[in-house]
Each structure stands twice: as C-alpha cells, then as structure tokens.
Amino acid sequence: MIESRVPRRRGTRRLTSALAGAAAAALVLTGCGGEQAGPSGGGSNIVQGTGVVTEVPAGERQPAPELTGEGTHDEELALSDYRGQVVVLNVWGSWCAPCIAEAPHLAKVAADTADQDVQFLGINTRDRQKINAQKFDERHGIDYPSFFDPTGRLILEFPRGTLSPQAIPTTLILDREGNIAVRALKALTEDELRRALDPVLAEG
C-alpha cells in the first residue's frame, strides 16, 4: 500500500439502534474544509480530510461493499451494476466548499473518460433535500448519478479497517473487479485525479 501526503422492550431496542446508527454516521463522516455548512449542511464542527492519497497494489485490494439505494434524481442505483468498469466514487455535499472546488475537475475527467469504460458515481451526503444536490449538478455540469445518502447510511456499509470514506470530500477509485485501488481524503484537482486514475485504467 502506497500513501502520499496529504433484556429491553422491542420499541426501546429500535430507538437505541436508530440513535446509535445516527451517532456512528456523524463520527464516520468527518471532513469538509469549508468555513461553515450551508443551509442544507449538518453543521460545521467537522475536521478536514488528511490530504492523503492511498494507492493499493492489485493483489492487496479489498472489495467495496454492495451499495444500493435511491439516486438524487429518483433513480435506483446499485454499485454492482458497474462491475467490469473502473468506477470513480466521490463522496460530496452541496454545502461543502472543497466539494464545490473539485466539482469542475470531476466533471471534466468524467466527460473525457466516458468512452474508456470509466463510470463516475457520487454519494451525496448530509443534504437534507434532493433539490440541493440537483441544483449542484446543474450548476457544475455533473452528468453522472449520485446516491442520495443524507444520514451517511451508505458510508457505514464500508467495513471497519478498510479504505472507507473518512472525509468530505473523499474519492475512491475501484478497479474492474470492484476492489478499492485508490482512496483520496482530499479535494482533487484534474491532474491529481488523472494521475490516480490512469494506472488503474492501464491494468486492462
């Protein structure tokens, strides 16, 4: 791995489980470097991503979880539908300043690699309403789909100890077998994204 810097009643049990899940989601979804969250954000008391980009050799990679759910434009999405393609999976929020900064770079590389068997996919998190995500897509020219994940449920699908998203934004690059090849705990420039993506594409 290569790193570069940067006995209760049923109702009570259900309530406890729900509260624990919400707390876990809040802990896992650290990271936006903005000064403060916007109207749709979940608050500003979150830490920045570390800036680390981790690249994993092919024989040491772990699979991404089987994510399924509703998209920001009401479509049904499943990560497994893109098996056989290289997937760029970006965790973002419309309220997050670094997410706004990197959006044009993601859109540009997504358009340039559309005919190279690459699928870009987002996980929109902490936006309370889909309209915020939809306006973000329109404003920044994002044509690829995103899961709508306001509570961070999908982030919790990543097993503990794996290269899970731990900041907003985070970008994962999955190889054609659905394994995590790269994790970037930072907003990416176009050049940084291409440098991370090209070796995975070259694996054939």
Side-chain angles (χ1 to χ4, degrees):
M1 185 180 296
I2 303 171
E3 290 190 353
S4 59
R5 189 97 187 149
V6 188
R8 292 180 182 176
R9 290 178 300 175
R10 181 176 302 173
T12 304
R13 284 199 302 270
R14 284 180 184 156
L15 177 58
T16 302
S17 176
L19 291 174
L27 288 172
V28 171
L29 290 176
T30 62
C32 178
E35 291 296 323
Q36 60 183 5
S40 62
S44 58
N45 57 337
I46 47 182
V47 301
Q48 292 208 18
T50 63
V52 170
V53 178
T54 304
E55 300 174 358
V56 186
E60 301 176 15
R61 296 171 187 166
Q62 295 178 303
E66 296 294 340
L67 305 180
T68 60
E70 191 173 57
T72 55
H73 293 267
D74 300 320
E75 71 275 50
E76 290 299 317
L77 297 174
L79 182 57
S80 60
D81 287 347
Y82 306 109
R83 189 67 52 80
Q85 298 176 274
V86 173
V87 175
V88 179
L89 183 64
N90 177 254
V91 180
W92 64 280
S94 69
W95 45 270
C96 167
C99 303
I100 294 169
E102 75 172 354
H105 307 302
L106 293 168
K108 177 67 163 59
V109 179
D112 289 349
T113 58
D115 60 351
Q116 298 179 41
D117 222 19
V118 177
Q119 175 63 52
F120 277 64
L121 189 63
I123 299 178
N124 170 251
T125 192
R126 291 192 182 181
D127 274 308
R128 299 191 185 105
Q129 297 178 335
K130 290 180 181 178
I131 188 64
N132 297 313
Q134 293 167 3
K135 288 181 177 179
F136 183 96
D137 286 348
E138 181 179 356
R139 187 177 303 118
H140 299 290
I142 302 294
D143 293 327
Y144 53 83
S146 286
F147 290 98
F148 181 60
D149 188 32
T151 64
R153 176 186 64 84
L154 293 179
I155 308 301
L156 295 176
E157 296 290 327
F158 286 81
R160 189 181 290 266
T162 65
L163 286 181
S164 60
Q166 294 177 357
I168 305 170
T170 289
T171 297
L172 303 178
I173 300 177
L174 313 183
D175 64 23
R176 291 177 175 85
E177 296 176 352
N179 298 318
I180 302 172
V182 179
R183 180 183 66 179
L185 296 175
K186 58 172 293 182
L188 293 172
T189 66
E190 181 181 341
D191 287 344
E192 288 171 332
L193 179 54
R194 290 185 188 278
R195 284 199 301 270
L197 177 60
D198 286 349
V200 184
L201 275 176
E203 293 173 357

